[in-house]
Amino acid sequence: MVFNKKTIEDVAVKGKKVLLRCDFNVPIVDGVITDENRLVGALPTIEYLLENGAKVILCSHLGKPKGEAKKELSLEPVGARLSELLGKQVVFADDDNVVGENAVNAVNNMTEGQCVLLQNTRFRKEETKNEENFSKELASLCDIFVNDAFGTAHRAHCSTVGVTKFVDTSVCGYLIQKELKFLGEAVENPERPFTAILGGSKVSDKINVINNLLEKVDTLVIGGAMAYTFLKAKGFQIGNSRVEEDKLDYAIEMMKKAENKDVKLLLPLDHVIANEFSKDATPLETVSENIEDGYMGLDIGPKTRENYSKWISQSKTVIWNGPMGVFEFENFSKGTKAIGEAMAKCGGTTIIGGGDSAAAVNIFGMGDKMTHISTGGGASLEFLEGIELPGIVALNDR
Ligand code: AMP
């Protein structure tokens, strides 16, 4: 399993050249970073390495340059902001081919406790194909590799997996360690009752998550558009709500599995509906599970909010991935907000699986009330599916 990996504290870093893979994939508008959470999140590992006398070589991807050096996706603004946050200069090695003359010179000139930032790893087309040549080039810069980019740990790329083949020591940083601790403990050894809440747009995106979580949880709460596929499969009318006809059989299979495993599977009892998908649509409440033709379900209704909140309040571990409705429209955000509120109050371990639910919790100002908000939407979902993340598997075992 993936939980027993060496960390930066398990290896001697003094005087060593340490290549640190971070997730600096931040939004940048006109050269200005508009959300620096990921930079701040990376600081503990960088600071630990610097304080312990490592020569720190930072690398990351930014956006999707698709193997081309695109000026607007340069990591230069990240280097400038990191220099301010760390209170020491981060030398930006501006090579379009990432490991070029500038990078090699900058690394050769480093002394202990100094920091160099490489250019966007995705400027190289080999990066996302995990090709050997770029992996070797990255490895040639360092003695030790540290992965702290949980958000890309589900991808086997040169800077997350390939590089580890050519470096003797590969370990994880504090961010990955924290993700593994919270997600890993919740899934493998949860304090019970253990409740998972799944929402969002599609059943098809979460098939393996539902299947895997039914092996682990006591209660599975379903909301968002994916609930309509389950309700239709049960024979309710769902009007014009979003549905995946080709997943009706799967929904039936999962409901049977829940019954066999003695897992309580909760579906909406009522809905907030509208006659169009629009932020200005008039929200109406249904009296039951059924939705009449001409209307679509855009959020869970009041009875469902109350019921889901009650089950959450009785849980000792709660994991949440996917909104309960179209939370981007205020009129249809109450269900998603209610889940956040119930989790914030429940007193147990509460984990938000990244992506839209993390965004929702932050919009509602509840971020600091959760035990853990995962930094990787895709990665945390794959973790919940029970898949071993390649970027973590590749690190040295204890
Ligand atoms: P996902 O990316 O699968 O987690 O889905 C998130 C998206 O699902 C959000 O943008 C929500 O607006 C959308 N969503 C949630 N509930 C509904 C619904 N009842 N109808 C349509 N879209 C929904």
Side-chain angles (χ1 to χ4, degrees):
M1 267 309 261
V2 291
F3 309 116
N4 203 22
K5 294 296 171 182
K6 280 193 179 165
T7 79
I8 41 174
E9 292 188 14
D10 294 321
V11 291
V13 298
K14 189 167 166 48
K16 296 281 177 14
K17 286 182 278 185
V18 177
L19 178 66
L20 172 57
R21 174 52 157 107
C22 293
D23 182 0
F24 294 147
N25 187 25
V26 290
I28 299 181
V29 181
D30 297 330
V32 179
I33 298 165
T34 53
D35 177 352
E36 61 183 31
N37 276 331
R38 285 184 168 157
L39 305 191
V40 174
L43 293 178
T45 299
I46 303 174
E47 279 164 349
Y48 172 88
L49 292 171
L50 292 174
E51 279 159 20
N52 285 279
K55 301 171 183 174
V56 182
I57 308 154
L58 300 165
C59 71
S60 172
H61 78 284
L62 173 62
K64 291 184 176 159
K66 302 209 165 117
E68 278 173 48
K70 294 202 172 130
K71 193 104 199 90
E72 67 280 13
L73 292 175
S74 166
L75 279 173
E76 190 165 11
V78 167
R81 185 62 188 133
L82 277 175
S83 299
E84 289 167 6
L85 291 169
L86 288 166
K88 67 160 63 190
Q89 197 202 0
V90 174
V91 175
F92 180 58
D94 193 0
D95 285 317
D96 285 353
N97 59 346
V98 189
V99 185
E101 212 179 308
N102 289 329
V104 172
N105 286 339
V107 169
N108 285 341
N109 290 329
M110 284 172 104
T111 56
E112 289 178 13
Q114 284 190 335
C115 213
V116 163
L117 171 64
L118 304 183
Q119 184 52 285
N120 188 345
T121 50
R122 288 195 192 163
F123 278 10
R124 289 285 292 267
K125 63 178 182 341
E126 302 96 319
E127 163 73 337
T128 53
K129 297 182 193 136
N130 196 20
E131 284 181 15
E132 204 172 287
N133 64 335
F134 184 44
S135 303
K136 274 186 180 162
E137 287 175 41
L138 287 168
S140 72
L141 294 176
C142 68
D143 308 305
I144 295 172
F145 172 69
V146 177
N147 192 354
D148 212 17
F150 184 73
T152 44
H154 59 315
R155 304 273 180 240
H157 293 170
C158 295
S159 68
T160 59
V161 172
V163 62
T164 63
K165 297 206 178 86
F166 306 103
V167 179
D168 289 338
T169 309
S170 299
V171 301
C172 68
Y174 288 129
L175 260 184
I176 284 195
Q177 196 184 355
K178 192 172 155 211
E179 294 277 3
L180 291 185
K181 175 177 151 47
F182 285 111
L183 289 170
E185 271 172 21
V187 174
E188 296 306 324
N189 192 20
E191 203 181 336
R192 294 184 181 273
F194 176 20
T195 296
I197 305 153
L198 293 178
S201 53
K202 291 199 241 141
V203 176
S204 48
D205 286 348
K206 294 193 176 131
I207 283 184
N208 296 327
V209 182
I210 299 170
N211 198 17
N212 189 41
L213 285 178
L214 282 175
E215 306 281 340
K216 320 259 180 197
V217 298
D218 302 296
T219 311
L220 182 62
V221 174
I222 296 200
M226 61 191 263
Y228 303 113
T229 301
F230 281 84
L231 289 174
K232 178 153 188 188
K234 279 189 94 172
F236 291 108
Q237 293 161 29
I238 56 157
N240 300 355
S241 306
R242 219 174 147 160
V243 65
E244 285 168 279
E245 297 285 347
D246 61 337
K247 293 292 172 293
L248 294 174
D249 288 344
Y250 175 77
I252 291 172
E253 194 190 316
M254 288 302 105
M255 289 188 279
K256 278 197 195 130
K257 180 169 177 176
E259 219 175 296
N260 292 339
K261 297 258 165 202
D262 216 9
V263 172
K264 181 93 189 158
L265 192 143
L266 301 177
L267 292 170
L269 303 168
D270 59 353
H271 318 276
V272 182
I273 57 170
N275 60 2
E276 57 171 346
F277 187 90
S278 151
K279 85 173 174 23
D280 301 318
T282 308
L284 301 169
E285 288 169 3
T286 63
V287 289
S288 71
E289 286 94 336
N290 290 309
I291 300 173
E292 62 184 275
D293 282 348
Y295 289 89
M296 61 186 90
L298 295 179
D299 194 8
I300 54 174
K303 273 192 275 181
T304 312
R305 295 199 294 264
E306 200 185 315
N307 188 42
Y308 286 4
S309 300
K310 184 190 84 190
W311 283 89
I312 292 168
S313 73
Q314 292 163 2
S315 306
K316 291 269 171 19
T317 306
V318 187
I319 287 193
W320 179 22
N321 190 300
M324 294 292 103
V326 187
F327 74 102
E328 298 93 333
F329 300 163
E330 207 192 329
N331 284 338
F332 307 98
S333 65
K334 279 189 190 152
T336 302
K337 196 169 183 185
I339 296 294
E341 277 165 359
M343 284 179 72
K345 278 199 294 220
C346 84
T349 301
T350 49
I351 296 169
I352 312 291
D356 272 325
S357 2
V361 160
N362 286 325
I363 291 170
F364 300 139
M366 300 166 187
D368 59 348
K369 303 217 170 62
M370 303 298 164
T371 312
H372 179 64
I373 301 183
S374 176
T375 52
S380 67
L381 217 48
E382 290 201 14
F383 196 95
L384 298 181
E385 283 176 29
I387 295 174
E388 295 197 325
L389 308 179
I392 293 168
V393 173
L395 304 175
N396 298 155
D397 289 326
R398 278 224 161 105

